């Protein structure tokens, strides 16, 4: 008598997230956390401008010309939160990927962030502690953000994807610097007071430089990985 045995079915392997994939999600999480301080303060300012309770101290620079302030807060929030997910490689796949659709929103949002920032720095009533040096610093970095976005657009039109990613990374670093600036301003405010012009200028300028430095590290790391993939 022949005994037949039923073969044990091979279990189907279910895809699981690798440690590297899980680690990638720390990037947008960290970027959004960095932007939390300006997002919360901006939301409070919008509430106040819309007739809500006075959550933050009254400031003439916001009440005299509220439109640029509102545009700046809304566009900066979109740019910070949506842009954080552009660093996930998995969202770049496909002809109608998240990366492409989000980019069509991020480019005008980033330009609005820079242009309204320049407008407020040049034409609104500046608070105590914002001296001529800080004004120049804001003009330099605001202009550089506009140039970065313009070069990113030119690169994508020419299908130069690596250059596009590099310039948008620089623009994003400049656009989310408000969170870094809030952290950098704390030591100077404790030591010299919140209205000390030189310490404020140094802290805000240093925050922009640090963000740009991190952006350059990210860009170089991408370039090294691209070279390694080509060499395989």
């Amino acid at each position: 008598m022949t005994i037949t045995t039923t073969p044990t079915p091979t279990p189907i392997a279910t895809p699981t997230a690798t440690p590297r994939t899980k680690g990638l999600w720390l990037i947008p999480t960290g970027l959004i956390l960095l932007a939390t301080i300006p997002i919360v303060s901006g939301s409070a300012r919008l509430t106040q401008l819309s007739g809500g309770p006075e959550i933050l101290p009254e400031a003439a620079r916001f009440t005299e010309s509220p439109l640029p302030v509102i545009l700046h807060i809304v566009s900066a929030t979109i740019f910070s939160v949506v842009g954080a997910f552009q660093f996930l490689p998995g969202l770049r796949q496909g002809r109608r990927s998240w990366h492409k659709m989000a980019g069509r929103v991020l480019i005008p949002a980033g330009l609005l962030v820079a242009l309204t920032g320049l407008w407020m720095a040049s034409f609104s009533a500046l608070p105590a502690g914002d001296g001529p040096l800080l004004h120049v610093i804001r003009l330099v970095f605001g202009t550089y953000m506009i140039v970065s976005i313009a070069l990113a657009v030119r690169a994508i039109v020419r299908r130069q994807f690596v250059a596009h990613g590099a310039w948008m990374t620089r623009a994003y670093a400049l656009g989310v610097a408000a969170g870094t600036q809030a952290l950098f301003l704390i030591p100077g405010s404790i030591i010299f007071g919140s209205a000390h012009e030189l310490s404020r200028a140094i802290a805000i300028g240093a925050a922009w430089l640090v963000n740009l430095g991190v952006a350059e590290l990210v860009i170089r790391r991408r370039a090294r990985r691209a070279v390694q993939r080509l060499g395989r």
Side-chain angles (χ1 to χ4, degrees), residues 114-115 118 137-147 174 208:
L115 290 170
L118 289 173
I137 291 173
R138 282 176 170 152
L139 292 181
V140 169
F141 286 104
T143 304
Y144 186 45
M145 183 174 175
I146 294 173
V147 171
L174 292 168
W208 262 315

Side-chain angles (χ1 to χ4, degrees), residues 18 47 56 102 108 138 142 145 195 211 225 228 231-232:
T18 63
T47 301
L56 299 175
R138 282 176 170 152
M145 183 174 175
N211 276 27
R225 286 180 177 175
Q228 289 172 357
R232 291 176 183 174

